[in-house]
Amino acid sequence: MMDALSVVSQLRDLASEPQNREAIVQDQGCLPGLVLFLDHKNPDVLFATLQTLRYLAELTPNISTMKNELGMMVSLENLMEREDISVDVTALAKEVFGILSAPPRPAPRSPERKKKSQFFLNSSNKKAKSVTLHIQGLDSTDQRSLCEEALLKVRGVISFTFQMASKRCTVRIRSDLPTESLASAIAATKVLSAQQVVRNEAGEEVFLPLNSSGVEVQQNAALPDYLPEEESPQAEADRAISRTAAKEDASGGWLNAAAGFLSKTFYW
C-alpha cells in the first residue's frame, strides 16, 4: 500500500532524471494525480508536488501539456494566494505558474531558462549520479535516522531514498563526489557500514566494497534546502526504487505502480 507522500516523493525522484520527464507527462494517470495533490492538506505533499512539476517543466515540450491539464493553472493560482502555508510553497508555486504561463521561447537555452529557484536544489545539479548502497545495520527507524544525519552532512548529496526491507539506500549525488565519501560518513556512525550495489557483466547484483578509511568528507555548513520526507513503513517495500535502472525505464515498473495508485485513489 502507498500513501500520497511516498508516491509523490518517488515520482519527484523519477522526474529528477531528464530521461523520465516526457514519459511522466504523457502517462494518463500521473499528471492529473499531481494536479489533485496541489489541493492536498499536507504541506510536505504540496512542496514535493511542486518540485515534481518544476522538474517536468524543465523539458520544454512538456510545458504546453502541463499548462492545458485540467485544473493545473487554477490550483497553482490558489496556492499562490494562500496565506496559511509556508513561503517556500507559495514561492515555488509562483515559479511553476510563471514557467507554464510564459509565452513559448524559440531558444530553450536562453539565459532566463537557466535561472533556478533557491528552493529547487536538484535543478542546479545537472551532472548528478545515483548510487545504491547496501547498509549493514540498517534494521530500525533509529538507525535510519543515524544514516540520514550522516548523509545530510556530506556536501554533494542531493537526495536519498531508503528501502528498509532490503537495507538499501539510493543516494543522488554530484558526479564529482567520490562514492567512498558516503561510505566514510556512514561508517562514522560506528554502528553502520555501506557497500555499493552494482551489476556485473551477467546482470547480477553484487556488493562492491568501499574504502571508508582515510577519506576526507566535506561537510555542509548548514542543512540543505531540500530534505527527504519521511516515508510510510508500507512504502518501504519492493515497489520503492532500488536501482538506477528503474529510472531508465519510466514507462514501466514503479511509474505504473504510482499511476495505478493515483487512478484507484481519485477515479472511480
Side-chain angles (χ1 to χ4, degrees):
M1 179 181 177
M2 298 184 181
D3 62 18
L5 184 54
S6 64
V7 167
V8 74
S9 296
Q10 297 285 10
L11 201 53
R12 177 195 56 207
D13 287 345
L14 282 173
S16 71
E17 299 288 349
Q19 69 267 24
N20 293 339
R21 291 168 185 164
E22 180 180 4
I24 292 173
V25 168
Q26 295 302 319
D27 186 274
Q28 293 183 352
C30 288
L31 201 56
L34 288 169
V35 172
L36 290 168
F37 280 153
L38 290 175
D39 293 324
H40 204 279
K41 295 180 180 179
N42 187 336
D44 292 334
V45 172
L46 291 177
F47 192 64
T49 300
L50 289 167
Q51 285 181 310
T52 305
L53 293 173
R54 180 63 177 82
Y55 277 130
L56 297 177
E58 286 282 304
L59 185 64
T60 303
N62 281 347
I63 293 177
S64 176
T65 303
M66 294 171 65
K67 178 181 179 180
N68 293 320
E69 181 63 38
L70 184 64
M72 175 71 76
M73 303 304 282
V74 173
S75 295
L76 288 172
E77 282 185 297
N78 289 340
L79 282 178
M80 291 160 52
E81 296 171 358
R82 284 177 58 178
E83 298 180 354
D84 60 329
I85 52 179
S86 71
V87 293
D88 289 7
V89 172
T90 54
L92 193 50
K94 289 177 182 177
E95 182 181 357
V96 174
F97 182 87
I99 292 172
L100 297 186
S101 59
R105 295 186 180 93
R109 292 187 178 182
S110 62
E112 186 66 24
R113 288 287 288 127
K114 293 182 180 180
K115 186 178 180 181
K116 306 301 178 183
S117 166
Q118 61 176 317
F119 307 115
F120 199 63
L121 183 63
N122 287 13
S123 66
S124 63
N125 292 276
K126 290 293 185 182
K127 296 182 179 180
K129 61 183 179 182
S130 292
V131 176
T132 299
L133 302 175
H134 177 81
I135 302 176
Q136 192 62 36
L138 191 64
D139 300 315
S140 69
T141 54
D142 289 339
Q143 284 146 350
R144 184 177 73 173
S145 295
L146 279 177
C147 190
E148 288 176 348
E149 292 174 6
L151 291 174
L152 285 171
K153 293 177 182 177
V154 181
R155 183 180 300 174
V157 169
I158 301 169
S159 65
F160 46 82
T161 305
F162 286 95
Q163 299 89 44
M164 294 294 289
S166 55
K167 298 184 180 180
R168 293 188 181 183
C169 180
T170 301
V171 190
R172 185 167 163 78
I173 60 176
R174 287 202 319 253
S175 59
D176 59 350
L177 178 67
T179 305
E180 287 78 11
S181 295
L182 302 177
S184 182
I186 291 172
T189 64
K190 307 296 183 183
V191 295
L192 302 172
S193 60
Q195 294 175 294
Q196 186 175 0
V197 182
V198 297
R199 289 190 174 272
N200 59 21
E201 294 180 356
E204 301 167 332
E205 288 190 352
V206 295
F207 293 161
L208 181 67
L210 296 171
N211 179 20
S212 60
S213 60
V215 178
E216 182 179 356
V217 179
Q218 289 189 321
Q219 296 192 350
N220 287 307
L223 292 181
D225 292 328
Y226 153 63
L227 304 180
E229 294 86 350
E230 281 293 325
E231 300 171 1
S232 67
Q234 294 92 341
E236 293 162 350
D238 293 338
R239 289 183 179 178
I241 300 172
S242 59
R243 58 188 178 87
T244 305
K247 295 183 178 180
E248 295 172 354
D249 183 16
S251 61
W254 198 92
L255 181 56
N256 286 342
F261 169 86
L262 295 171
S263 297
K264 291 177 183 177
T265 303
F266 299 113
Y267 304 104
W268 298 271

